[in-house]
Every structure is written in C-alpha cells, then in structure tokens.
Amino acid sequence: LSKDIDYQSVLSEIHNEIAPLIGGGKVANYIPPLAEVPSEKFGMALQCTEGESFSIADGGERFSIQSISKLFALTLAYRHAGASIWERVGREPSGTPFNSLVQLEYEKGIPRNPFINAGALVISDIILGLATDPQNSFLGFLREQSGSSSIKVDEATLRAEKATGHRNRALANLLKDFDNLEHPVEDVLDFYFFQCSVKMNCQELASTCLYLANQGDSPHAGKVISARKAKRINAVMLTCGTYDAAGDFAYRVGLPGKSGVGGGIVAIVPDLMSLCVWSPALNSSGNSYVGTKALELFTTKTHLSIF
Ligand code: GLN
C-alpha cells in the first residue's frame, strides 16, 4: 500500500497546510546563533529504504542539529560498549525538561535516559573512553551515513554553547560528583558541545537515520548496528526522544522521533523510511512547533503511524 503513495504530493500538501501555523512557537535564544535563524523557515525530507528520496522547501538548508546528535552518540556508544551503557544511564522517560537538574540529584547521578542532556553527557564520556579521536569519529559517522563529506561544526555555535552552557556545566559537575563521569568535566562538555554544533540539512539527516528504519543496516552506507540494537534505539526514541512531550508526540505523530532545539526532528517509519522536518520555532517543551504538526499531518495522510 505504502508504495502507491505519491510522497512528493504529500509533502506539498503538508507545506500548504502548515503555512498558517508559521509564526507560532518561539525560536531558541539561549544559544545566541540559534536566535538569528528566521522563524519562517520550513523544510522536510524523506529517505526510503528502497532508495527513493523526496524533499520540499528548505529541505536542503543546513541548520544546527542540536539534540538530534544525541541519537548518533547513543548509536556509537551502544554499538561499541553494548548493554553496559545501561549501568550508567537509564531508558525511562524523564517527565522533566531536557536540561533539568533536579531529577539527577535525587536519582544519584544516573540520568533517566540518553536523550536528555545529563544522559548525553554520560554517553559522551563513554565515547571518550572508546575512540582515540572522538570528534572525528563522530563527524566521520555522519559524513559516511549521509554521503555528504562537507558536514561540519559551526564554530560560532560551538563558541556560544561553551559561553552559555552553565546548566550543562552544572549537570556535568553533578555527574562527576556522583562518579558517573570518567573524564574531566571540561573534556566531556567540549565533546558534547561539539556534537550539538554540527549543521546538517533535512535530506542529510533523513539519509543518516536510514539504518534505524532498516534493522540497523543502511541500504546505502552499510551495517551500523545489529537489528536488536536498532529496535531498542527506536523504542527509546519513541518513549524519550522528545523529552517531557514524548507522550504527546506519540499521541499526535505515532513514530519514534528525536528533536533538537535548532528546530529539527527526525522520525522513523520502521522498514520503510526515515524522515526529517525542520522549522526553528519551538513549543514549550523545546520541540519544533510546526515540525511536530508537519509529522502529525504526514502520518494522518499516509496512515504510516506505527499504531
Ligand atoms: N545544545 C543544547 C543544550 O545543551 C541542546 C539541547 C536540545 O537540543 N534540546 O542545551
């Protein structure tokens, strides 16, 4: 059935239907370069496991991937360290904002999941212990999976992350105090900020995520992880990928998804496609306001929700 869908027309319909919503939500401003991105930007791209790809509007314009990076960091850590990662980070929804400190204190330095900032800091620490050149391994993974060798970090964003990352610094210090970081706090933060500062476009992100729609094996870029691990990463995306809005996202969209405060959201239709939407203005949970709506329209029109 899904093969009969004219995806380019579906994207056009979505583009038309979200137009009146542009202007809703608020562009993140706590990292100054993010505030400079025009709020009316909108892009969306699909990459099918069978090779076809579709894109609309600003689908080819790069933006700051921010917390979408947490998905790729989890993949690299889980691929190499296996189930031992779950001794240091949980896999339950947090029900708190992505940068919250309170839960980490009363749960003694074990973050609820890898997709909130505290969890991603632990994952970053794990990767620092696995790779000799973690920054290049991380970028290399994105370049290989997307097929775009020009993907890089935005230096202005990286500087701003370091200058304004007081909460992340607090989280890292708390983790260190609870003995859940092996490396120096500043090294972990540097690598975490590096990941957040990468810029990619919707097409590149959809291509990069294809392994999650194809049992861990990218049709164009080779095996990334086992099918078992891909299944589990998708499950954590569904339950934790959009922070304290994960329930609402599952209710509206019905796909595993991962968002970032740059306004991007990636989503997976198991065994069929990966998709990415970008619109910079965020809702109160820090997820793209128009992006969430666009994904909701997508599963409503195509019946491709997993439910
Ligand atoms: N760099 C951002 C931060 O650490 C990432 C957060 C996000 O995208 N949710 O606050």
Side-chain angles (χ1 to χ4, degrees), residues 123-295:
I123 293 292
S124 297
D125 185 59
I126 292 171
I127 298 174
L128 287 179
L130 293 168
T132 41
D133 188 348
Q135 298 192 350
N136 269 324
S137 307
F138 187 79
L139 267 189
F141 174 76
L142 299 178
R143 288 173 176 167
E144 195 183 330
Q145 293 302 314
S146 65
S148 298
S149 56
S150 62
I151 290 171
K152 57 179 173 31
V153 148
D154 180 64
E155 294 296 337
T157 307
L158 182 56
R159 278 194 300 276
E161 296 265 359
K162 288 186 189 178
T164 62
H166 310 299
R167 244 171 202 281
N168 289 318
R169 203 157 270 117
L171 286 166
N173 278 293
L174 203 48
L175 288 164
K176 187 75 176 170
D177 183 68
F178 280 113
D179 277 332
N180 202 3
L181 290 185
E182 285 171 8
H183 298 86
V185 162
E186 284 305 318
D187 294 2
V188 175
L189 286 166
D190 278 353
F191 183 41
Y192 170 79
F193 292 142
F194 178 90
Q195 296 160 46
C196 293
S197 305
V198 170
K199 279 183 121 175
M200 293 171 72
N201 63 40
C202 289
Q203 295 160 4
E204 291 163 341
L205 280 162
S207 294
T208 301
C209 291
L210 199 58
Y211 66 97
L212 291 167
N214 197 51
Q215 312 282 338
D217 192 352
S218 167
H220 58 257
K223 190 163 177 76
V224 175
I225 41 165
S226 68
R228 272 168 69 124
K229 286 180 175 155
K231 176 186 85 172
R232 288 167 173 169
I233 293 173
N234 274 297
V236 182
M237 282 173 83
L238 182 75
T239 52
C240 312
T242 45
Y243 323 115
D244 46 336
D248 192 57
F249 188 84
Y251 175 86
R252 290 177 188 280
V253 178
L255 295 174
K258 182 74 207 85
S259 62
V261 290
I265 309 177
V266 295
I268 304 299
V269 182
D271 298 319
L272 197 63
M273 68 170 72
S274 46
L275 49 161
C276 179
V277 62
W278 170 52
S279 183
L282 310 177
N283 63 25
S284 57
S285 310
N287 301 309
S288 173
Y289 167 67
V290 169
T292 304
K293 191 68 197 172
L295 290 170

Side-chain angles (χ1 to χ4, degrees), residues 96-113:
T96 57
F98 62 82
N99 55 5
S100 173
L101 281 150
V102 281
Q103 199 168 47
L104 191 63
E105 164 80 349
Y106 67 71
E107 297 187 353
K108 303 196 165 29
I110 305 293
R112 274 288 175 102
N113 67 67

Side-chain angles (χ1 to χ4, degrees), residues 4-17:
D4 300 332
I5 298 174
D6 177 352
Y7 290 116
Q8 198 62 49
S9 302
V10 172
L11 289 183
S12 296
E13 284 176 30
I14 294 171
H15 189 206
N16 291 333
E17 289 173 39

Side-chain angles (χ1 to χ4, degrees), residues 33-34 36-45 54-65 68 148 150-152 198-206 262-265 276-280:
L34 298 183
E36 290 163 19
V37 182
S39 61
E40 64 274 10
K41 293 282 179 187
F42 173 81
M44 194 163 179
F54 306 88
S55 176
I56 198 155
D58 302 318
E61 182 169 331
R62 287 186 178 157
F63 57 91
S64 190
I65 69 170
I68 298 174
S148 298
S150 62
I151 290 171
K152 57 179 173 31
V198 170
K199 279 183 121 175
M200 293 171 72
N201 63 40
C202 289
Q203 295 160 4
E204 291 163 341
L205 280 162
I265 309 177
C276 179
V277 62
W278 170 52
S279 183

